[in-house]
Amino acid sequence: MDHLAVANWMFQCVNASEDGDQPDPPKPVPRPGTKDEDEEGEGGDSPEAETPEISPGQLARFFG
């Protein structure tokens, strides 16, 4: 999904007029069990950070 969004964004950038504004790059699709880049919190990608438990319902919603 993310690759398709980036490909569409690149297509728009290449085919837009040179004088016009370029579109903003797409944001990645949120994954279950991860925080958005906009959310602040401790832990992050450190090795000591706990991996959150993902429920079967969250997985079902993610995969549709």
Side-chain angles (χ1 to χ4, degrees), residues 18-35:
E18 292 180 15
D19 299 333
D21 293 335
Q22 295 293 321
D24 294 332
K27 293 186 179 183
V29 174
R31 301 321 199 253
T34 60
K35 290 186 176 185

Side-chain angles (χ1 to χ4, degrees), residues 11-42:
F11 181 81
Q12 287 178 332
C13 289
V14 170
N15 292 305
S17 66
E18 292 180 15
D19 299 333
D21 293 335
Q22 295 293 321
D24 294 332
K27 293 186 179 183
V29 174
R31 301 321 199 253
T34 60
K35 290 186 176 185
D36 291 337
E37 292 177 356
D38 298 337
E39 291 182 19
E40 294 180 10
E42 294 182 13

